[in-house]
Amino acid sequence: MSAEETRPGAARDSVQQGASDAAPEPSPEQSAATQRRPQRPATLVFTQSVLALQAFVALFATLVAWSFARNGLVEAPAGWVAGGGAALMVMLFYAAGKQKKRWGRALAWVLQVPMLVAGLLVPAIAALGVVFLMIWIMALRLGSRIDRERKERDEAAAARSNEDTQVDGRMSE
């Protein structure tokens, strides 16, 4: 072993050197392109996530209500329960995909109602509906707040950038 290999951190340095040899530095055009990619709105991410999760909960709630209907614990036709639950699940997934559109948000509000009304069959489903309604409201409120703060931060950074450019222009004259 050489003296270089026995010094503390030599192995780490050689690994870091090997890693830098394997991955070349991105060109300025590539790094600028990745930095310019716009960030997805927080409201969009939150609402899509809530609706997708709610669709899975609707699936499992449908299975519970369907088994209750088949075993006579709930007075409802099992086929209607299964069909209605499947339709709700599909519509929730569809609404999750349409959150970029204004009417997608309205559709999602409307789809909160069946989860609450399903509590007439199984009260636990209404409890899940209330929980998801609260999560939905929080997703809208927090998402819009985050989006507003991001916009303010970007505007402040742009203003600072313009000021720096103007100062640099005066210095070179």
Side-chain angles (χ1 to χ4, degrees), residues 12 28 35 93 123 131:
R12 183 186 66 229
Q35 290 176 353
F93 276 124
V131 168

Side-chain angles (χ1 to χ4, degrees), residues 134-147:
M134 290 187 310
I135 294 171
W136 172 253
I137 292 168
M138 291 304 297
L140 290 171
R141 292 187 63 187
L142 291 176
S144 63
R145 179 188 301 169
I146 291 170
D147 290 338

Side-chain angles (χ1 to χ4, degrees), residues 2 7 56 88 90 125:
S2 69
R7 85 175 162 80
F56 283 113
L88 176 61
V90 169
I125 296 175

Side-chain angles (χ1 to χ4, degrees), residues 123-164:
I125 296 175
L128 291 170
V130 168
V131 168
F132 270 98
L133 180 62
M134 290 187 310
I135 294 171
W136 172 253
I137 292 168
M138 291 304 297
L140 290 171
R141 292 187 63 187
L142 291 176
S144 63
R145 179 188 301 169
I146 291 170
D147 290 338
R148 184 177 56 250
E149 289 173 0
R150 282 180 184 168
K151 183 179 177 185
E152 290 170 357
R153 183 190 65 217
D154 292 344
E155 288 172 352
R160 280 193 307 271
S161 173
N162 288 340
E163 290 173 1
D164 291 344

Side-chain angles (χ1 to χ4, degrees), residues 21-22 30 87 117 144 164:
D21 292 341
Q30 290 172 336
V117 173
S144 63
D164 291 344

Side-chain angles (χ1 to χ4, degrees), residues 2-171:
S2 69
E4 182 65 28
E5 292 174 348
T6 59
R7 85 175 162 80
R12 183 186 66 229
D13 293 342
S14 66
V15 169
Q16 288 175 348
Q17 181 182 12
S20 65
D21 292 341
E25 291 287 325
S27 68
E29 296 84 19
Q30 290 172 336
S31 62
T34 56
Q35 290 176 353
R36 288 187 200 138
R37 193 176 91 206
Q39 194 169 19
R40 292 180 65 201
T43 306
L44 177 66
V45 172
F46 290 171
T47 56
Q48 287 178 333
S49 300
V50 168
L51 291 172
L53 290 172
Q54 190 173 5
F56 283 113
V57 168
L59 167 68
F60 295 123
T62 299
L63 293 174
V64 169
W66 175 72
S67 72
F68 283 3
R70 284 192 57 196
N71 293 318
L73 298 172
V74 173
E75 292 187 28
W80 282 99
V81 171
L88 176 61
M89 182 191 65
V90 169
M91 290 301 294
L92 284 165
F93 276 124
Y94 180 74
K98 297 299 179 185
Q99 286 303 294
K100 287 184 179 181
K101 301 188 183 308
R102 180 177 295 255
W103 60 267
R105 188 85 30 94
L107 175 63
W109 273 109
V110 170
L111 290 176
Q112 299 302 314
V113 175
M115 287 290 285
L116 299 170
V117 173
L120 297 174
L121 292 176
V122 181
I125 296 175
L128 291 170
V130 168
V131 168
F132 270 98
L133 180 62
M134 290 187 310
I135 294 171
W136 172 253
I137 292 168
M138 291 304 297
L140 290 171
R141 292 187 63 187
L142 291 176
S144 63
R145 179 188 301 169
I146 291 170
D147 290 338
R148 184 177 56 250
E149 289 173 0
R150 282 180 184 168
K151 183 179 177 185
E152 290 170 357
R153 183 190 65 217
D154 292 344
E155 288 172 352
R160 280 193 307 271
S161 173
N162 288 340
E163 290 173 1
D164 291 344
T165 305
Q166 291 174 355
V167 169
D168 291 342
R170 289 184 201 145
M171 301 275 288

